[in-house]
Amino acid sequence: MIYSNLIQWMGANGQNLSVASASATVSAAFPTGTSAIRVVCTQDVYIEIASGVSASAGTAGFLPAGVVEYLTAQPNNTLSAITTGASGTLNIKPCCG
């Protein structure tokens, strides 16, 4: 699917999150105007999106390595992620649309 006509990137608000076997959370909440995020990770990862959330393997949403996904999100939410294997990098880019 091509989303370029549906979304608008929100400047330089993207974040890279180092993920490992302990839950990690992005350092900054999503900015005002966020309605979705684009995520992709170098390793299989479990993610949760909410305010003050902590991801748990097996109960959070699963994102396979290398898959680009667009997820709904709200301003002031954060994202937490955890892997069950090797460490990796999760790229998170807020967008609106």
Side-chain angles (χ1 to χ4, degrees):
M1 265 185 171
I2 298 175
Y3 290 91
S4 61
N5 293 331
L6 302 175
I7 62 171
Q8 177 182 13
W9 298 113
M10 298 185 66
N13 293 317
Q15 299 181 59
N16 284 323
L17 179 65
S18 295
V19 292
S21 59
S23 184
T25 303
V26 293
S27 60
F30 303 135
T32 300
T34 299
S35 60
I37 57 170
R38 175 193 165 276
V39 293
V40 62
C41 192
T42 59
Q43 298 293 330
D44 292 350
V45 66
Y46 293 89
I47 59 176
E48 289 279 353
I49 302 167
S51 181
V53 69
S54 183
S56 259
T59 59
F62 179 71
L63 179 69
V67 173
V68 176
E69 187 67 77
Y70 291 82
L71 305 168
T72 58
Q74 298 177 3
N76 299 315
N77 279 172
T78 58
L79 181 143
S80 180
I82 191 169
T83 65
T84 57
S87 298
T89 300
L90 178 66
N91 178 262
I92 306 121
K93 182 74 175 170
C95 46
C96 63

